[in-house]
Amino acid sequence: MRFGDLTTTEPALMSSYCAQFFSSSFSRSNSNQSNLVLPISVDSEDLMADCDVTFEEVEKALVNFDVYKGCGPDMIPPRVLRYCSPVLTGPIHKLFGKSLQSGVFPEALKQSYIVPIHKGGAIDNVCNYRPIAIQPTLAKIFEKLVLKKVDRILTKGIVSQQHGFFMADRPSPI
């Protein structure tokens, strides 16, 4: 594997080269996030109330989750969540509810694997790879459920004629 003038066949160094390259293209924003303003008027309490997920929504998400996706750092195979959903829906619903209620997402679900995916060019050049984050299975399900709720709220403030990336199959917010 090559990274600049460096070359190695050692797996640990290859991983280090990837980490160096991927981190070099990442920059933390120094902006103060407390100054962010939504373009529409949304009461944060209403937003959180609308983000509450029901038992049925969690159950449906578990039953419909793609069993061919790999498991992440939580090591929970999607097949287990799907086929054990009658037993697991209750505890997962409580976990998601507590997280939304407290505004705290469990640290264990924030962990992810970074996998280098070849994007073209010389296969031995680190610069020809892009990082893909493999999330924990429960984090994927949580994200999907919350995105549906937040998307519904924020879509109300987006006029399709003024938004270049507005999906055509989405119902108009007007």
Side-chain angles (χ1 to χ4, degrees):
M1 186 65 72
R2 291 183 296 116
F3 181 50
D5 296 336
L6 306 171
T7 304
T8 189
T9 58
E10 290 288 321
L13 283 175
M14 288 183 199
S15 177
S16 175
Y17 292 173
C18 286
Q20 288 176 42
F21 174 65
F22 295 155
S23 66
S24 72
S25 60
F26 173 77
S27 64
R28 287 197 186 271
S29 173
N30 290 335
S31 67
N32 184 354
Q33 291 186 353
S34 65
N35 292 335
L36 296 177
V37 178
L38 289 174
I40 57 175
S41 176
V42 176
D43 183 10
S44 62
E45 287 182 21
D46 289 343
L47 181 63
M48 290 312 292
D50 287 343
C51 283
D52 190 33
V53 293
T54 66
F55 182 90
E56 291 76 19
E57 289 170 325
V58 173
E59 182 178 44
K60 183 178 178 182
L62 292 175
V63 169
N64 293 327
F65 196 70
D66 184 357
V67 296
Y68 296 105
K69 290 189 181 282
C71 57
D74 60 359
M75 300 307 290
I76 301 173
R79 287 180 191 275
V80 169
L81 293 176
R82 177 186 273 186
Y83 299 126
C84 297
S85 64
V87 176
L88 295 175
T89 300
I92 292 171
H93 175 251
K94 284 182 183 175
L95 172 70
F96 289 174
K98 287 260 189 215
S99 184
L100 288 168
Q101 201 173 37
S102 68
V104 177
F105 194 65
E107 285 297 320
L109 297 181
K110 293 179 185 179
Q111 303 299 314
S112 62
Y113 294 139
I114 303 298
V115 178
I117 302 294
H118 187 248
K119 61 182 181 179
I123 202 164
D124 65 336
N125 188 346
V126 170
C127 299
N128 292 328
Y129 288 81
R130 61 187 170 95
I132 297 294
I134 307 298
Q135 295 177 300
T137 309
L138 288 175
K140 292 176 198 176
I141 292 170
F142 182 83
E143 180 180 329
K144 192 173 193 170
L145 289 169
V146 172
L147 179 61
K148 280 183 185 177
K149 303 285 184 165
V150 172
D151 187 55
R152 231 179 275 137
I153 295 165
L154 296 180
T155 301
K156 293 175 187 172
I158 299 174
V159 178
S160 59
Q161 295 82 359
Q162 295 179 334
H163 195 278
F165 299 101
F166 200 70
M167 297 186 317
D169 62 344
R170 184 183 295 199
S172 175
I174 301 173

